[in-house]
Amino acid sequence: MSATSTDTPAGATPPVFTTHPTPTGSMIRAALLSEWTKLRSVRSTIWSLILTSAFTIGLGTLFCWAYVNRPPDERGGRGGLGSGLRFDPTDRALRGVFLAQLAIGVLGVLVMSSEYTTGSVRTSLAAVPNRRLLLLAKAIVLGAVSLVVSMISAFLAFFAGQAVLSSKNLGVSIGDAGVLRAVLGAGAYLMLIALFGLAIGTIVRRTPGAISALFGIVLIFPLLADALPDPWNVNVGKLLPMNAGQAMFSVRVDPDLLTPGKGLVIFLCWIAGTFAIATFLLSKRDV
Amino acid sequence: MIELSGLTKRYGDTLAVDDLSFDIEPGCVTGFLGPNGAGKTTTMRMILGLDAPTKGSVTVNGKPYSQHKFPLHEVGALLDAKALHGGRRAFDHLLCLAQSNGIGKARVTAVLEMVGLADVARKRAGTFSLGMGQRLGIAAALLGDPGILMFDEPVNGLDPEGIVWIRNLLRWLASEGRTVFVSSHLMTEMAMTADRLIVVGRGRLIADSTVDEFTARGEQWVTVRSARPAELTAALLNAGGTVTMVGDDSEVRGLSAVQIGDIALTAGVALYGLTEQRASLEEVFFGLTDDSVEYHGSVSA
């Protein structure tokens, strides 16, 4: 058997290929547009956002409805999950946030981890080799989309909840002290959980591991902090993401929590820290 | 043009890529050949800046890949056709890549037509067969109309029709003056498409030559059938050749077909057959990479 080689005639010079001029236009704009297309073109995005909204609004309203249907003498001292001892109409209407954070946190994780589990991260990084730019574009797009959805959800949850509570004259107005700040805080909290998920998804790279890590830190750490000896249980506990975040959307000033402003700063520190690690690892690792 | 200089990648104790230096020139198909685990994919990943070299460097059109603003205009690559989000429609998969490099929707439609996927553009990529996935990957590589194309094992798992399609595409791209770099562990495949071969084994460069030069490294002989083999053998041995009888045929080494014909004429022996033989590319390849194949499986390709 003899090998056949090229079928171009010997001595013929091949044409020279002329590369097109590189398009003008900004890299960040291109990366943002691309990430927006990525986010809107998978079903998991719309489902996570629907769940986020449904949990925030539906559960908040349900909690309010359950409260007004209690006999009046039982309405006092039963705070229940995640709240202090006293009833607060705004807290009650925003209680769905505790479940909604699972849905939006998973969305944040998936924005990066799905790139790794499907292998598309290699295609993405071949298209956008500036890895910081890729992560930044993802964070901006995810942050913007989740902020819109979670703010709308928080406000709808508040108004729906107050509508239910006002049937027994238990509701408050958005203009009352601390109320608007708490509703804004709830929306911001959900968006920040999504970003926290993105950073952890970038660090961990696999979806199940990243989801476990995210909710381990958010939900399990406070339980672990409780086991610390007094006063460390409170001092450490209030610095944890969920407690710091919860301070943002509580109307009442809970002595065991930070002030709303400090809560926001501490939560932002957690996010900045995880993003710093995520950026470092993403830039350094082979994919 | 891709230039590798002393490119090295070490994973723990294993040298996946060991001091590779070569240029990949425009206007021809360069085959990147080696057994599985020879370091071909790792080399391609380093070209794309996905893996960082332990030592050495690689540039694409004079710059490291990652320093190109919109690199899809420089290099189009297909590393793994399955590496995409299966829930995304084919059109959206291409659109997000296009947008990241300042490419518009019209081009997405155009490349989908070019690879014959226009009818299934709205289907989710996860529902695609292997062949369709491969075409989608190639469409992605063509998005930026780049001067360099790089394909990792593009014919793996394809049906004959798909294989022919890829072969023609590679030849057509090279005929336009583009740089085409394609890896394979299949020698015959490379013989069909490549002009130049870069052969690696255990991460090392084994050969860098044209396909013709490469085959010339193998053994050459002439098969002769004649009326009176014994007489002819004597004459050939006299002239300095070596002769092995295989059935009725003589395999002659050390003399060309022309020389044998002349010797037969002088000896007055009629020739019924005179065929030049060459070791196949496969045989040369296996001879060169013999000690590399024991490596099988210890490093992912």
Side-chain angles (χ1 to χ4, degrees), chain A residues 132-220:
Chain A
R132 287 156 184 262
L133 177 67
L134 186 83
L135 184 58
L136 178 69
K138 280 184 186 297
I140 292 174
V141 171
L142 172 71
V145 169
S146 51
L147 185 65
V148 169
V149 172
S150 50
M151 276 301 173
I152 293 173
S153 306
F155 275 95
L156 288 177
F158 172 78
F159 288 118
Q162 301 317 307
V164 172
L165 291 171
S166 52
S167 66
K168 292 278 188 327
N169 285 323
L170 293 164
V172 289
S173 146
I174 191 81
D176 291 350
V179 171
L180 178 61
R181 187 264 305 150
V183 178
L184 289 171
Y189 174 76
L190 286 177
M191 177 204 72
L192 291 174
I193 286 285
L195 291 179
F196 200 35
L198 171 62
I200 290 173
T202 308
I203 294 168
V204 180
R205 293 184 283 184
R206 299 288 151 189
T207 307
I211 291 177
S212 310
L214 172 66
F215 295 118
I217 294 170
V218 172
L219 302 174
I220 312 297

Coordinates of all heavy atoms in Angstrom, one line a residue, chain A residues 132-220:
Chain A
R132 N -10.9 36.9 34.5 CA -11.6 37.9 35.4 C -12.8 38.5 34.7 O -13.8 38.7 35.3 CB -10.6 39.0 35.8 CG -9.5 38.5 36.8 CD -8.3 39.4 36.6 NE -7.3 39.0 37.5 CZ -7.0 39.5 38.7 NH1 -7.7 40.5 39.1 NH2 -6.0 39.0 39.4
L133 N -12.6 38.8 33.4 CA -13.7 39.5 32.7 C -14.9 38.5 32.6 O -16.0 38.9 32.8 CB -13.2 39.8 31.3 CG -14.2 40.4 30.3 CD1 -14.6 41.8 30.8 CD2 -13.6 40.5 28.9
L134 N -14.6 37.2 32.4 CA -15.7 36.3 32.3 C -16.5 36.2 33.6 O -17.7 36.3 33.6 CB -15.2 34.9 32.0 CG -16.2 33.8 31.7 CD1 -16.8 33.9 30.3 CD2 -15.8 32.4 32.0
L135 N -15.8 36.2 34.7 CA -16.4 36.1 36.0 C -17.2 37.4 36.3 O -18.3 37.4 36.8 CB -15.4 35.8 37.1 CG -16.0 35.6 38.5 CD1 -17.0 34.4 38.6 CD2 -14.9 35.3 39.5
L136 N -16.5 38.5 36.0 CA -17.2 39.8 36.2 C -18.5 39.9 35.4 O -19.5 40.3 36.0 CB -16.2 40.9 35.8 CG -16.7 42.3 36.0 CD1 -16.9 42.7 37.5 CD2 -15.8 43.4 35.3
A137 N -18.4 39.5 34.2 CA -19.6 39.6 33.3 C -20.7 38.7 33.9 O -21.9 39.1 33.9 CB -19.3 39.2 31.9
K138 N -20.4 37.5 34.3 CA -21.4 36.6 34.9 C -22.0 37.3 36.2 O -23.2 37.2 36.4 CB -20.7 35.3 35.3 CG -20.6 34.3 34.1 CD -20.0 33.0 34.6 CE -19.7 32.1 33.5 NZ -20.8 31.7 32.7
A139 N -21.1 37.9 37.0 CA -21.6 38.5 38.2 C -22.5 39.6 38.0 O -23.6 39.8 38.6 CB -20.4 38.9 39.1
I140 N -22.2 40.5 37.0 CA -23.0 41.6 36.7 C -24.4 41.2 36.2 O -25.4 41.7 36.6 CB -22.3 42.6 35.7 CG1 -21.1 43.2 36.4 CG2 -23.3 43.7 35.2 CD1 -20.2 44.0 35.4
V141 N -24.4 40.3 35.2 CA -25.6 39.8 34.6 C -26.5 39.1 35.7 O -27.7 39.4 35.8 CB -25.4 38.9 33.4 CG1 -26.7 38.3 32.9 CG2 -24.7 39.7 32.3
L142 N -25.9 38.2 36.4 CA -26.6 37.5 37.4 C -27.2 38.4 38.5 O -28.3 38.3 38.9 CB -25.7 36.4 38.1 CG -26.3 35.7 39.3 CD1 -27.5 34.8 38.9 CD2 -25.3 34.9 40.1
G143 N -26.3 39.4 38.9 CA -26.7 40.3 39.9 C -27.9 41.2 39.5 O -28.8 41.3 40.2
A144 N -27.8 41.6 38.2 CA -28.9 42.5 37.7 C -30.2 41.7 37.6 O -31.3 42.2 38.1 CB -28.5 43.1 36.4
V145 N -30.1 40.5 37.0 CA -31.4 39.7 36.9 C -32.0 39.4 38.2 O -33.2 39.5 38.5 CB -31.1 38.5 36.0 CG1 -32.3 37.5 36.0 CG2 -30.8 38.9 34.6
S146 N -31.1 38.9 39.1 CA -31.7 38.4 40.4 C -32.1 39.6 41.3 O -33.1 39.5 42.0 CB -30.7 37.5 41.2 OG -29.4 38.1 41.2
L147 N -31.5 40.8 41.1 CA -31.9 41.9 41.9 C -33.4 42.3 41.4 O -34.2 42.6 42.3 CB -31.0 43.1 41.7 CG -31.3 44.3 42.5 CD1 -31.1 44.0 44.0 CD2 -30.4 45.5 42.2
V148 N -33.6 42.4 40.1 CA -34.9 42.8 39.6 C -36.0 41.8 40.2 O -37.0 42.2 40.8 CB -34.9 42.8 38.1 CG1 -36.4 42.9 37.6 CG2 -34.1 43.9 37.6
V149 N -35.7 40.5 40.0 CA -36.7 39.5 40.4 C -36.9 39.5 41.9 O -38.0 39.5 42.4 CB -36.3 38.1 39.9 CG1 -37.2 37.0 40.5 CG2 -36.3 38.0 38.4
S150 N -35.8 39.6 42.7 CA -36.0 39.5 44.1 C -36.6 40.8 44.8 O -37.3 40.7 45.7 CB -34.7 39.1 44.8 OG -33.6 39.9 44.4
M151 N -36.3 41.9 44.2 CA -36.9 43.2 44.7 C -38.4 43.1 44.4 O -39.2 43.4 45.3 CB -36.3 44.4 44.0 CG -35.0 44.9 44.6 SD -35.2 45.4 46.3 CE -33.5 45.7 46.8
I152 N -38.8 42.8 43.2 CA -40.2 42.7 42.9 C -40.9 41.7 43.8 O -42.0 42.0 44.4 CB -40.4 42.4 41.4 CG1 -39.9 43.5 40.5 CG2 -41.9 42.0 41.1 CD1 -40.0 43.2 39.0
S153 N -40.3 40.6 44.0 CA -40.8 39.5 44.9 C -41.0 40.0 46.3 O -42.0 39.8 46.9 CB -40.0 38.3 44.8 OG -39.8 37.9 43.5
A154 N -40.0 40.7 46.8 CA -40.0 41.2 48.2 C -41.1 42.2 48.4 O -41.9 42.1 49.4 CB -38.6 41.8 48.6
F155 N -41.3 43.1 47.4 CA -42.3 44.1 47.6 C -43.7 43.5 47.4 O -44.6 43.8 48.2 CB -42.2 45.2 46.5 CG -41.2 46.3 47.0 CD1 -39.9 46.3 46.7 CD2 -41.7 47.3 47.8 CE1 -39.0 47.3 47.1 CE2 -40.8 48.3 48.3 CZ -39.5 48.3 48.0
L156 N -43.9 42.6 46.5 CA -45.2 41.9 46.3 C -45.5 41.1 47.6 O -46.6 41.1 48.1 CB -45.2 41.0 45.1 CG -45.2 41.7 43.8 CD1 -45.2 40.8 42.6 CD2 -46.5 42.6 43.7
A157 N -44.5 40.4 48.2 CA -44.7 39.6 49.4 C -45.1 40.5 50.5 O -46.0 40.2 51.3 CB -43.4 38.9 49.8
F158 N -44.5 41.7 50.6 CA -44.8 42.6 51.7 C -46.3 43.1 51.5 O -47.1 43.0 52.5 CB -43.9 43.8 51.7 CG -44.3 44.9 52.7 CD1 -44.1 44.8 54.0 CD2 -45.0 46.0 52.2 CE1 -44.5 45.7 54.9 CE2 -45.4 47.0 53.1 CZ -45.2 46.9 54.5
F159 N -46.6 43.6 50.3 CA -48.0 44.1 50.2 C -49.0 43.0 50.3 O -50.1 43.2 50.9 CB -48.1 44.9 48.8 CG -47.3 46.2 48.8 CD1 -46.3 46.4 48.0 CD2 -47.7 47.2 49.8 CE1 -45.6 47.6 48.0 CE2 -47.0 48.4 49.8 CZ -45.9 48.6 48.9
A160 N -48.8 41.8 49.8 CA -49.7 40.7 49.9 C -49.9 40.4 51.4 O -51.0 40.2 51.8 CB -49.3 39.5 49.1
G161 N -48.8 40.3 52.1 CA -48.8 39.9 53.5 C -49.6 41.0 54.3 O -50.5 40.6 55.1
Q162 N -49.4 42.2 54.0 CA -50.1 43.3 54.8 C -51.5 43.3 54.5 O -52.4 43.5 55.3 CB -49.4 44.7 54.5 CG -48.0 44.7 54.9 CD -47.6 44.1 56.2 OE1 -48.2 44.3 57.3 NE2 -46.6 43.2 56.2
A163 N -51.9 43.0 53.2 CA -53.3 42.9 52.8 C -54.0 41.8 53.7 O -55.1 42.1 54.1 CB -53.4 42.6 51.3
V164 N -53.3 40.7 53.8 CA -53.9 39.6 54.7 C -54.0 40.1 56.1 O -55.0 39.9 56.8 CB -53.1 38.3 54.5 CG1 -53.6 37.3 55.5 CG2 -53.1 37.8 53.1
L165 N -52.9 40.6 56.6 CA -52.9 41.0 58.1 C -53.8 42.1 58.4 O -54.4 42.2 59.5 CB -51.4 41.4 58.4 CG -50.4 40.3 58.5 CD1 -49.0 40.9 58.6 CD2 -50.7 39.3 59.5
S166 N -54.1 43.0 57.4 CA -54.9 44.2 57.7 C -56.4 43.8 57.9 O -57.1 44.6 58.5 CB -54.8 45.3 56.7 OG -55.0 44.7 55.4
S167 N -56.7 42.5 57.5 CA -58.1 42.1 57.8 C -58.3 42.0 59.3 O -59.5 42.1 59.7 CB -58.3 40.7 57.1 OG -57.5 39.7 57.7
K168 N -57.3 41.8 60.0 CA -57.4 41.8 61.5 C -56.7 43.0 62.1 O -56.3 43.0 63.3 CB -56.8 40.5 62.1 CG -57.5 39.3 61.8 CD -58.7 39.1 62.7 CE -59.4 37.7 62.6 NZ -59.6 37.0 61.3
N169 N -56.5 44.0 61.3 CA -55.8 45.2 61.7 C -54.4 45.0 62.3 O -54.0 45.7 63.2 CB -56.7 46.0 62.7 CG -57.9 46.7 62.0 OD1 -57.7 47.2 60.9 ND2 -59.0 46.7 62.7
L170 N -53.7 44.0 61.7 CA -52.4 43.7 62.2 C -51.3 44.3 61.3 O -50.1 44.2 61.6 CB -52.2 42.2 62.3 CG -53.1 41.6 63.4 CD1 -53.1 40.1 63.2 CD2 -52.5 41.9 64.8
G171 N -51.7 44.8 60.1 CA -50.7 45.2 59.1 C -50.0 46.5 59.4 O -50.4 47.2 60.3
V172 N -48.9 46.7 58.7 CA -48.2 48.0 58.8 C -48.1 48.6 57.4 O -48.4 48.0 56.4 CB -46.8 47.8 59.4 CG1 -46.8 47.5 60.8 CG2 -46.0 46.8 58.6
S173 N -47.7 49.9 57.4 CA -47.6 50.5 56.1 C -46.1 50.6 55.7 O -45.2 50.6 56.6 CB -48.2 52.0 56.2 OG -47.4 52.9 55.4
I174 N -45.9 50.7 54.4 CA -44.5 50.7 53.9 C -43.8 52.0 54.4 O -42.5 52.0 54.5 CB -44.5 50.7 52.3 CG1 -43.1 50.5 51.7 CG2 -45.1 52.0 51.7 CD1 -42.6 49.1 51.7
G175 N -44.6 53.0 54.8 CA -44.0 54.2 55.3 C -43.6 54.2 56.8 O -42.9 55.1 57.3
D176 N -44.0 53.1 57.5 CA -43.6 53.0 58.9 C -42.1 52.8 59.1 O -41.4 52.4 58.2 CB -44.4 51.8 59.6 CG -45.9 52.1 59.6 OD1 -46.3 53.3 59.4 OD2 -46.7 51.2 59.9
A177 N -41.7 53.2 60.3 CA -40.3 53.2 60.6 C -39.6 51.8 60.3 O -40.1 50.8 60.8 CB -40.0 53.6 62.0
G178 N -38.6 51.9 59.5 CA -37.8 50.6 59.2 C -38.4 49.7 58.2 O -37.7 48.7 57.8
V179 N -39.6 49.9 57.8 CA -40.3 48.9 57.0 C -39.7 48.9 55.5 O -39.3 47.8 55.0 CB -41.8 49.2 56.9 CG1 -42.5 48.3 55.9 CG2 -42.4 48.9 58.3
L180 N -39.6 50.1 54.9 CA -39.1 50.1 53.6 C -37.7 49.5 53.5 O -37.3 48.8 52.6 CB -39.1 51.6 53.0 CG -38.5 51.8 51.6 CD1 -39.3 51.0 50.6 CD2 -38.4 53.2 51.3
R181 N -36.9 49.9 54.5 CA -35.5 49.4 54.6 C -35.5 47.9 54.6 O -34.7 47.2 54.0 CB -34.8 50.0 55.8 CG -33.3 49.7 55.9 CD -33.0 48.6 56.8 NE -33.5 48.8 58.1 CZ -33.9 47.8 58.9 NH1 -33.8 46.5 58.5 NH2 -34.4 48.0 60.1
A182 N -36.4 47.3 55.4 CA -36.4 45.8 55.6 C -36.8 45.2 54.3 O -36.2 44.1 53.9 CB -37.4 45.5 56.7
V183 N -37.8 45.8 53.5 CA -38.2 45.1 52.3 C -37.1 45.2 51.2 O -36.8 44.2 50.6 CB -39.5 45.8 51.7 CG1 -39.9 45.2 50.4 CG2 -40.6 45.7 52.7
L184 N -36.4 46.4 51.2 CA -35.3 46.5 50.3 C -34.2 45.6 50.7 O -33.5 44.9 49.8 CB -34.7 48.0 50.3 CG -35.6 49.0 49.7 CD1 -35.0 50.4 50.0 CD2 -35.7 48.8 48.2
G185 N -34.0 45.4 52.0 CA -33.0 44.5 52.5 C -33.2 43.1 52.1 O -32.3 42.3 51.7
A186 N -34.5 42.7 52.1 CA -34.9 41.3 51.7 C -34.5 41.1 50.2 O -33.9 40.0 49.9 CB -36.3 41.0 51.9
G187 N -34.9 42.0 49.4 CA -34.5 41.9 48.0 C -33.0 41.8 47.8 O -32.5 41.0 47.0
A188 N -32.3 42.7 48.4 CA -30.9 42.8 48.3 C -30.2 41.5 48.8 O -29.3 40.9 48.2 CB -30.3 44.0 49.1
Y189 N -30.8 40.9 49.9 CA -30.3 39.7 50.5 C -30.3 38.6 49.5 O -29.3 37.8 49.3 CB -31.0 39.3 51.8 CG -30.7 38.0 52.3 CD1 -29.5 37.9 53.1 CD2 -31.5 36.9 52.2 CE1 -29.1 36.6 53.6 CE2 -31.1 35.6 52.7 CZ -29.9 35.5 53.4 OH -29.6 34.3 53.9
L190 N -31.5 38.4 48.8 CA -31.6 37.3 47.8 C -30.6 37.5 46.7 O -30.0 36.5 46.2 CB -33.0 37.3 47.3 CG -34.1 36.7 48.3 CD1 -35.5 36.8 47.6 CD2 -33.8 35.3 48.7
M191 N -30.4 38.7 46.2 CA -29.5 38.9 45.1 C -28.1 38.6 45.6 O -27.3 37.9 44.9 CB -29.5 40.4 44.7 CG -28.4 40.7 43.6 SD -27.9 42.4 43.5 CE -26.9 42.6 44.9
L192 N -27.7 39.0 46.8 CA -26.4 38.7 47.3 C -26.2 37.2 47.5 O -25.1 36.7 47.3 CB -26.1 39.5 48.6 CG -26.1 41.0 48.4 CD1 -26.0 41.7 49.8 CD2 -24.9 41.4 47.6
I193 N -27.2 36.5 47.9 CA -27.1 35.0 48.0 C -26.8 34.4 46.6 O -26.0 33.5 46.5 CB -28.4 34.4 48.6 CG1 -28.5 34.7 50.1 CG2 -28.5 32.9 48.3 CD1 -27.5 33.8 51.0
A194 N -27.4 34.9 45.6 CA -27.1 34.5 44.2 C -25.6 34.7 43.9 O -25.0 33.8 43.4 CB -28.0 35.2 43.2
L195 N -25.1 35.9 44.2 CA -23.7 36.1 44.0 C -22.8 35.3 44.8 O -21.8 34.8 44.3 CB -23.4 37.6 44.2 CG -24.1 38.6 43.2 CD1 -23.7 40.0 43.6 CD2 -23.6 38.3 41.8
F196 N -23.2 35.0 46.0 CA -22.4 34.2 46.9 C -22.4 32.8 46.3 O -21.3 32.1 46.2 CB -23.2 34.1 48.3 CG -22.3 33.6 49.4 CD1 -21.0 33.9 49.5 CD2 -22.9 32.9 50.5 CE1 -20.2 33.5 50.6 CE2 -22.1 32.4 51.5 CZ -20.8 32.8 51.6
G197 N -23.5 32.3 45.7 CA -23.6 31.0 45.0 C -22.6 31.0 43.8 O -21.9 30.0 43.6
L198 N -22.6 32.1 43.1 CA -21.7 32.2 41.9 C -20.2 32.0 42.3 O -19.5 31.2 41.7 CB -21.9 33.5 41.2 CG -20.9 33.8 40.1 CD1 -21.0 32.8 38.9 CD2 -21.2 35.2 39.5
A199 N -19.9 32.7 43.4 CA -18.5 32.7 43.8 C -18.1 31.3 44.3 O -17.1 30.7 44.0 CB -18.2 33.7 45.0
I200 N -19.0 30.6 45.1 CA -18.8 29.3 45.6 C -18.8 28.3 44.4 O -18.0 27.4 44.4 CB -19.8 28.9 46.7 CG1 -19.4 29.8 47.9 CG2 -19.7 27.5 47.0 CD1 -20.4 29.7 49.1
G201 N -19.7 28.5 43.5 CA -19.7 27.6 42.3 C -18.4 27.7 41.5 O -17.9 26.7 41.0
T202 N -17.8 28.8 41.5 CA -16.5 29.0 40.8 C -15.4 28.3 41.5 O -14.5 27.7 40.9 CB -16.2 30.5 40.6 OG1 -17.3 31.2 40.0 CG2 -15.0 30.7 39.8
I203 N -15.5 28.4 42.9 CA -14.4 27.8 43.7 C -14.5 26.2 43.6 O -13.6 25.5 43.4 CB -14.5 28.2 45.1 CG1 -14.2 29.7 45.2 CG2 -13.6 27.4 46.0 CD1 -14.5 30.4 46.5
V204 N -15.8 25.7 43.8 CA -16.0 24.3 44.0 C -16.1 23.6 42.6 O -15.7 22.5 42.4 CB -17.2 24.0 44.8 CG1 -17.4 22.5 45.0 CG2 -17.1 24.6 46.2
R205 N -16.7 24.2 41.6 CA -16.8 23.8 40.2 C -17.8 22.7 40.0 O -18.2 22.5 38.8 CB -15.4 23.3 39.7 CG -14.4 24.4 39.5 CD -13.1 24.0 38.9 NE -12.3 23.2 39.9 CZ -11.1 22.8 39.6 NH1 -10.6 22.9 38.4 NH2 -10.4 22.1 40.5
R206 N -18.1 21.9 40.9 CA -19.1 20.8 40.7 C -20.4 21.2 41.4 O -20.4 21.7 42.5 CB -18.7 19.5 41.3 CG -17.4 19.0 40.7 CD -17.7 18.5 39.2 NE -16.4 18.6 38.5 CZ -16.4 18.5 37.1 NH1 -17.5 18.2 36.4 NH2 -15.3 18.6 36.5
T207 N -21.6 21.0 40.7 CA -22.8 21.5 41.2 C -23.2 21.0 42.6 O -23.5 21.8 43.5 CB -24.0 21.2 40.2 OG1 -23.5 21.7 38.9 CG2 -25.3 21.8 40.6
P208 N -23.2 19.6 42.8 CA -23.6 19.2 44.1 C -22.7 19.7 45.2 O -23.2 20.1 46.3 CB -23.5 17.6 44.0 CG -23.4 17.3 42.5 CD -22.8 18.5 41.9
G209 N -21.4 19.7 45.0 CA -20.5 20.1 46.0 C -20.7 21.6 46.3 O -20.7 22.0 47.5
A210 N -20.9 22.4 45.3 CA -21.1 23.8 45.5 C -22.4 24.1 46.2 O -22.4 25.0 47.1 CB -21.0 24.5 44.1
I211 N -23.4 23.4 45.9 CA -24.7 23.7 46.6 C -24.6 23.3 48.0 O -25.0 24.0 48.9 CB -25.9 22.9 45.9 CG1 -26.1 23.5 44.5 CG2 -27.1 22.9 46.7 CD1 -27.2 22.8 43.7
S212 N -23.9 22.2 48.3 CA -23.7 21.8 49.7 C -22.9 22.8 50.4 O -23.2 23.2 51.6 CB -23.0 20.4 49.8 OG -23.6 19.5 48.9
A213 N -21.8 23.3 49.8 CA -21.0 24.3 50.5 C -21.8 25.6 50.7 O -21.7 26.1 51.8 CB -19.8 24.6 49.6
L214 N -22.5 26.0 49.7 CA -23.3 27.2 49.9 C -24.2 27.1 51.1 O -24.3 28.0 52.0 CB -24.0 27.6 48.6 CG -25.0 28.7 48.7 CD1 -24.3 30.0 48.9 CD2 -25.9 28.8 47.4
F215 N -25.0 26.1 51.1 CA -26.0 26.0 52.2 C -25.5 25.5 53.5 O -26.1 25.7 54.5 CB -27.3 25.2 51.7 CG -27.9 25.9 50.6 CD1 -28.0 25.4 49.3 CD2 -28.4 27.2 50.8 CE1 -28.6 26.1 48.3 CE2 -29.0 28.0 49.7 CZ -29.1 27.4 48.5
G216 N -24.3 24.8 53.4 CA -23.6 24.5 54.6 C -23.2 25.8 55.3 O -23.5 26.0 56.5
I217 N -22.7 26.7 54.6 CA -22.2 28.0 55.2 C -23.5 28.8 55.6 O -23.5 29.4 56.7 CB -21.4 28.8 54.2 CG1 -20.1 28.1 53.9 CG2 -21.1 30.2 54.7 CD1 -19.3 28.6 52.7
V218 N -24.5 28.9 54.7 CA -25.6 29.8 55.0 C -26.5 29.2 56.2 O -26.9 29.9 57.1 CB -26.5 30.0 53.8 CG1 -27.7 30.7 54.1 CG2 -25.6 30.8 52.8
L219 N -26.8 27.9 56.1 CA -27.8 27.3 57.0 C -27.2 26.6 58.2 O -27.7 26.6 59.3 CB -28.8 26.4 56.2 CG -29.5 27.0 55.1 CD1 -30.3 25.9 54.3 CD2 -30.5 28.1 55.6
I220 N -26.1 25.9 57.9 CA -25.5 25.0 59.0 C -24.6 25.8 59.9 O -24.5 25.5 61.1 CB -24.8 23.8 58.4 CG1 -25.7 23.1 57.3 CG2 -24.4 22.8 59.5 CD1 -27.0 22.5 57.8

